[in-house]
Amino acid sequence: MAELVIKDLYADVETESGPKQILKGVNLTIRSGEIHAIMGPNGSGKSTLAYSLAGHPKYTITSGSATLDGEELTELSVDKRAKAGLFLAMQYPIEVPGVSTANFLRTAKTALDGVAPKVRTWPKEVTAALERMDMDPSFSGRSINEGFSGGEKKRGEIVQLDLLDPKIAILDEIDSGLDIDAVRTVAEGINRYSDRGEHGVMLITHYQRILRYVEPTHVHVFVDGRIVAEGGKELAAELEVEGYDKYLKAVHA
């Protein structure tokens, strides 16, 4: 059973004028079988939480801890965090010209598992994963995200999630910029991953629409660098109607 435990986490982001504190004491535990929706206004620190956990060099954890199955992530390099079982689907997936999707996936899978996927079966697995996300198998031969639409990039992130099979998935606004059909397809991919049992999900989103297809076990309101309210799926419905105004007023009172 996987367990990500975040305790009193503080983090800065590097700006032109120097470090700026963004995270101000985050406490959160995500276990296998759980889907935690992190919702909050722009600039509240949701993406900072995602990138700090993943080890982005622009973000510095200044205090607190984050452990995955007891292993302290903050002391690990980015690649070792991935090997420990952490996965980040980026809000803005980058293009990597000259590196085919198939080669990237095989290299990543080899690094994670310590053994290369079988040449005889791996191409079939990649094709099947692409088709599950309504992507043509020809995408496997194309450079990572190069020339992909926004929706194709987001669906490609779920292809990675499917094949790399991490313990904990952090999905940073995986629904942003998607039309309703693409939201449904991405949601189905998230549900397939979650339904395997030994996985936990942190789903960062502004809107309830993806939560109509991915049912969260927990919903957290994130304001001013920390979690200020928690509840079940009914909290997401409340936020859709009322917004974040009362939480913002409470924080800045």
Side-chain angles (χ1 to χ4, degrees):
M1 176 174 169
E3 184 179 63
L4 174 66
V5 180
I6 303 167
K7 290 184 178 180
D8 205 26
L9 197 70
Y10 286 74
D12 295 348
V13 63
E14 191 62 40
T15 69
E16 292 182 358
S17 56
K20 178 182 179 181
Q21 186 181 70
I22 303 295
L23 300 186
K24 302 174 182 179
V26 179
N27 292 282
L28 178 64
T29 298
I30 301 175
R31 299 182 178 89
S32 295
E34 297 179 347
I35 298 176
H36 291 247
I38 309 293
M39 305 183 73
N42 283 326
S44 59
K46 302 184 303 298
S47 291
T48 296
L49 175 60
Y51 288 113
S52 296
L53 291 171
H56 192 294
K58 187 178 178 181
Y59 301 87
T60 302
I61 293 174
T62 55
S63 66
S65 70
T67 60
L68 179 50
D69 291 345
E71 186 171 16
E72 182 60 57
L73 295 175
T74 62
E75 299 174 354
L76 301 178
S77 59
V78 174
D79 61 314
K80 289 182 179 178
R81 296 184 198 199
K83 288 179 180 178
L86 194 69
F87 174 90
L88 171 64
M90 294 183 288
Q91 183 177 352
Y92 303 107
I94 62 171
E95 297 183 5
V96 188
V99 179
S100 75
T101 298
N103 283 341
F104 163 73
L105 287 168
R106 191 168 192 273
T107 300
K109 188 69 171 175
T110 301
L112 291 174
D113 293 353
V115 59
K118 294 180 180 178
V119 176
R120 181 168 50 85
T121 58
W122 181 245
K124 295 178 182 178
E125 293 180 41
V126 173
T127 295
L130 287 165
E131 290 178 340
R132 283 192 288 272
M133 294 307 297
D134 292 338
M135 300 180 74
D136 191 274
S138 64
F139 276 88
S140 67
R142 293 172 58 178
S143 293
I144 300 168
N145 293 323
E146 189 174 31
F148 288 24
S149 69
E152 288 165 347
K153 290 179 180 179
K154 292 300 183 74
R155 282 182 279 152
E157 295 287 284
I158 302 301
V159 169
Q160 294 179 34
L161 177 66
D162 186 1
L163 292 170
L164 300 181
D165 198 37
K167 294 177 181 178
I168 299 289
I170 302 173
L171 309 178
D172 187 16
E173 297 196 31
I174 194 71
D175 54 334
S176 66
L178 301 183
D179 61 32
I180 192 63
D181 291 328
V183 168
R184 188 180 294 111
T185 299
V186 164
E188 289 170 352
I190 296 170
N191 287 332
R192 278 194 299 271
Y193 165 78
S194 180
D195 288 345
R196 292 176 193 169
E198 294 301 313
H199 304 102
V201 176
M202 180 191 297
L203 178 59
I204 297 171
T205 183
H206 283 296
Y207 309 109
Q208 190 196 4
R209 63 177 188 163
I210 194 169
L211 302 182
R212 297 182 185 125
Y213 307 106
V214 177
E215 184 170 325
T217 57
H218 304 73
V219 175
H220 310 271
V221 181
F222 206 88
V223 175
D224 194 31
R226 58 191 182 274
I227 293 169
V228 298
E230 298 177 299
K233 61 181 181 180
E234 70 283 350
L235 179 55
E238 174 195 308
L239 293 170
E240 185 79 4
V241 175
E242 299 181 7
Y244 302 105
D245 191 52
K246 72 176 182 181
Y247 298 105
L248 288 166
K249 288 179 178 177
V251 166
H252 298 296

